Structure formats: structure tokens, C-alpha cells
Amino acid sequence: MKKGFVFMETLIVLVVLTITIVGMYSTYINISTNINNRMYYDNISDLYKTEIIRNEINKESIGNDKLITITKDTCTTYMSTNCNNLLTNLNIENIYITNEAISSYIENNEIKINNSMREYLKTINKDETRRNIIVNFKYGNKNYYASLRI
Amino acid sequence: MKNKNGFISMAVVYSFILVFVLVMISLLNAYAYRNNVINSQIIEVKNELNKVVP
């Protein structure tokens, strides 16, 4: 009688503790992943810098390409002549302009985008079909990303 | 006199476990709440900036 009770008690306590600890652990992992993402993706300051860039880009120069990549060397095609200074001052490495659903860029390996960009694309709305501007900032050796509609 | 040592020690152990679990849950709650507040601010900023597409 007594042994049966101790066994049941241990079993119940183990089950309850396991459920609680697994639940807490998964919540913790979710939150910490979210915080890690927020460190590098869509910082508020980077969003405002992206807005500055969005206003600087000449909309008429953007064609219907699937992905436009703008670097410091090629920026004069899409922006004003002093764009190199602007991109350097804002620590901008690359600017991407997407023209299709974000999911198509993640799945298609033929499109040349780096891995950190692919990781960022996974965190934004994959069904977003409107044209987006994605800006790749570089502070130190770390890549930061922010995106807005264009 | 009946020996109640087992009961008392188990009561102490379960109390510690309960306190530990409650403290952890409250810490996680605070963590999640702050996370949500910051996330909602970022989403709000992004939505506002997306509203003013030139």
C-alpha cells in the first residue's frame, strides 16, 4: 500500500516537473531567439536610416529586375552623385531592392545573396509581394539588416 | 510516537521545488513581457514608416 503510494507520488511529481521545465525551456529559447534577432534585424535607428535611403533612391531608375543590388560603387545609377559619402557615413554595405515575394528569394539558390541576408529574409513576412528595400549595415564585422516597403 | 521525519523532509523538498518553479515562471513572464513591449514598438515604427511610402 505504502510502496504503491510512493511510486505514484514520484511518477506524478516527475511528470509535472518535466512538463513545467520543458515548457519553461521552450519559452526561454523562443524569447532569446527573438532577442538575438532583434539585435541585428530591424533596429529602430536602422529603420530610420533605411527611410533616408528610400527617400534618396530615384524610383524611376528602378526597373523590373527581380533583385537590384546597390553598392557604394554602383549607387550613382539609382541615387544622387554624393551617395558614396552617404552610404559610408551610414555604415551601409549593400542595398537590395526586391520585386517578388520574399519566399522566392529564400528558396531560389541561383540568386546571389549572402547567408546572413538569407537568414534575415527568413524572419520577415515571406508572403510580402510588394517591392521592398533591404539595407545591409555593417558595424564592426557584424551584419545588420533593416527593410521597408518602397 | 509515530516517525514523521519522512513527511517533513519531503514537505521541505516540495516547497523548494514549488518556490523554484514559481520564481522561474515569474522571471520568464517578466522577460516575455519586456520582449513583447519592445517588439510591438519596433512593429509600430515599421508600420508607420511603411505608411509613408513616397
Side-chain angles (χ1 to χ4, degrees):
Chain A
M1 180 78 184
K2 180 91 176 167
K3 276 187 179 173
F5 173 75
V6 172
F7 176 69
M8 285 305 289
E9 184 193 17
T10 317
L11 209 67
I12 291 167
V13 169
L14 276 180
V15 169
V16 169
L17 269 183
T18 312
I19 293 171
T20 317
I21 289 173
V22 167
M24 287 194 303
Y25 182 72
S26 62
T27 314
Y28 173 76
I29 291 293
N30 268 343
I31 300 171
S32 59
T33 313
N34 205 316
I35 287 174
N36 279 340
N37 284 346
R38 208 175 49 225
M39 237 163 89
Y40 299 110
Y41 303 155
D42 285 336
N43 281 336
I44 291 184
S45 61
D46 290 345
L47 283 172
Y48 279 100
K49 287 178 184 176
T50 306
E51 206 219 353
I52 295 172
I53 296 298
R54 183 176 69 179
N55 291 337
E56 282 289 318
I57 285 180
N58 179 11
K59 305 288 173 304
E60 287 150 14
S61 61
I62 305 170
N64 285 321
D65 293 350
K66 189 171 181 181
L67 180 73
I68 298 170
T69 308
I70 306 172
T71 60
K72 284 173 195 164
D73 303 325
T74 60
C75 68
T76 44
T77 318
Y78 306 96
M79 297 162 79
S80 56
T81 45
N82 63 344
C83 61
N84 199 322
N85 279 339
L86 182 70
L87 297 192
T88 311
N89 289 336
L90 295 179
N91 298 310
I92 293 171
E93 194 78 2
N94 293 306
I95 301 166
Y96 302 97
I97 296 170
T98 62
N99 204 13
E100 287 181 18
I102 297 296
S103 56
S104 67
Y105 297 94
I106 302 168
E107 290 150 12
N108 193 344
N109 287 324
E110 288 169 13
I111 300 170
K112 285 183 182 172
I113 49 174
N114 53 26
N115 283 337
S116 59
M117 166 85 166
R118 219 176 279 276
E119 288 301 314
Y120 172 65
L121 290 178
K122 285 178 190 167
T123 66
I124 56 178
N125 186 6
K126 293 184 181 67
D127 301 323
E128 176 70 63
T129 48
R130 286 184 59 174
R131 187 171 271 181
N132 274 280
I133 175 169
I134 301 169
V135 180
N136 169 207
F137 300 87
K138 204 155 196 172
Y139 308 116
N141 279 328
K142 303 273 185 192
N143 285 306
Y144 292 70
Y145 291 90
S147 65
L148 285 176
R149 283 181 187 154
I150 192 166
Chain B
M1 192 181 150
K2 209 175 169 185
N3 187 1
K4 282 193 170 181
N5 284 347
F7 176 76
I8 294 169
S9 57
M10 286 316 287
V12 170
V13 169
Y14 285 142
S15 316
F16 275 120
I17 291 174
L18 264 180
V19 169
F20 170 75
V21 168
L22 285 178
V23 168
M24 289 307 286
I25 288 175
S26 57
L27 277 176
L28 269 178
N29 252 341
Y31 199 38
Y33 175 73
R34 287 174 191 200
N35 186 42
N36 284 342
V37 167
I38 300 173
N39 271 352
S40 60
Q41 282 178 347
I42 290 177
I43 290 169
E44 204 171 308
V45 167
K46 201 167 178 176
N47 286 341
E48 285 299 317
L49 288 175
N50 274 336
K51 270 185 202 167
V52 289
V53 178

